[in-house]
Amino acid sequence: MDAERAALILIDMQRDFLEADGFGASLGNDVTMLRPAIIGCARLLTLFRSLHMPIIHTREAHRPDLGDCPPAKRSRGDPILRIGDAGPMGRILISGELGTEIVPECCPISDEIVLDKPGKGAFFGTKLGEILTAFDISHLIIAGVTTEVCVQTTMREANDRGYECLLVEEATESYFPEFKQATLAMIRAQNAIVGWTASIKDVERALQTPCRRLS
Ligand code: TIU
């Protein structure tokens, strides 16, 4: 890994997916399944902050007029509350509402970038590509929720755009443990067809160990 060109991207660590009364719960999911990702993401934040490496947070959040939420997205599933409906944490998946706030343990600080995204992938409908180019980033360390939905979609978008991607195993979770395991397996199958996966310990060791540059 070229640590000088690496950034951490935390996907959608927001109340809507991780706390009761949000979008994840309204879809019928047990949100406690995602709690381990909070600990993992907080540990990655500590690591990247200590090394002064770039950090990007995303939130799945739509404009209040829902102009960026197509019916094909809003009509998915059979939720108690749909995107844009008023819930206990404000309107579901709408920018600026309580539900789209990042959980306190992973709260962005100082100059960390926060991007609201209308899709599952973090490149679609955002300035992520331009931001990564501006910072000369080539390697993405990816974590967040949920593994097989927004995390995997982002990783595949990034892979198609030429980024080297690594998904951190204990810093991502799914409402369905078998989907998390399947996602990790399909990403690293065929000699890492989409990217690598690694434990937090290995990421810490890799970034904290000075390495000889190859060129
Ligand atoms: N439902 C589900 O698993 N995930 C989402 O709707 N969005 C994200 O993964 N962020």
Side-chain angles (χ1 to χ4, degrees):
M1 184 197 309
D2 185 347
E4 288 177 20
R5 298 185 67 203
L8 174 66
I9 177 159
L10 294 190
I11 304 296
D12 303 354
M13 290 298 289
Q14 64 201 65
R15 293 181 189 272
D16 261 315
F17 298 111
L18 291 149
E19 295 186 3
D21 300 327
F23 186 53
S26 91
L27 289 164
N29 296 304
D30 173 5
V31 293
T32 63
M33 297 298 292
L34 304 189
R35 302 295 300 177
I38 298 178
I39 300 163
C41 286
R43 201 165 142 190
L44 286 173
L45 283 171
T46 302
L47 174 69
F48 276 71
R49 285 169 183 162
S50 72
L51 297 169
H52 305 288
M53 292 174 67
I55 297 171
I56 298 164
H57 304 255
T58 71
R59 300 181 293 209
E60 188 171 349
H62 293 274
R63 296 200 315 253
D65 66 4
L66 292 179
D68 57 358
C69 182
K73 178 173 185 184
R74 191 160 188 266
S75 61
R76 289 287 89 198
D78 186 20
I80 298 162
L81 295 168
R82 292 194 185 276
I83 297 169
D85 289 350
M89 289 197 290
R91 292 181 67 202
I92 298 287
L93 292 196
I94 298 297
S95 293
E97 302 283 347
L98 186 61
T100 54
E101 272 185 7
I102 292 173
V103 294
E105 296 90 335
C106 300
C107 199
I109 58 166
S110 58
D111 57 355
E112 292 169 10
I113 293 161
V114 182
L115 281 179
D116 283 356
K117 64 181 185 57
K120 294 178 175 64
F123 287 84
F124 172 72
T126 74
K127 298 251 182 263
L128 180 58
E130 288 98 312
I131 291 166
L132 296 176
T133 301
F135 283 88
D136 195 28
I137 299 298
S138 58
H139 289 56
L140 294 176
I141 314 301
I142 302 173
V145 297
T146 62
T147 315
E148 80 282 11
V149 183
C150 291
V151 173
Q152 182 171 210
T153 303
T154 298
M155 193 158 175
R156 289 176 181 276
E157 280 186 331
N159 176 250
D160 279 347
R161 286 164 173 77
Y163 294 95
E164 301 281 10
C165 297
L166 185 149
L167 176 57
V168 187
E169 293 157 6
E170 312 93 320
T172 184
E173 290 296 338
S174 168
Y175 298 119
F176 308 91
E178 67 275 25
F179 290 172
K180 171 180 171 176
Q181 292 312 322
T183 301
L184 295 178
M186 68 178 80
I187 282 169
R188 63 190 173 216
Q190 306 178 62
N191 284 312
I193 190 77
V194 179
W196 296 276
T197 80
S199 68
I200 295 182
K201 224 167 110 207
D202 284 343
V203 174
E204 286 171 340
R205 195 178 306 129
L207 291 179
Q208 287 166 339
T209 307
C211 66
R212 189 165 50 86
R213 300 201 51 121
L214 296 176
S215 57

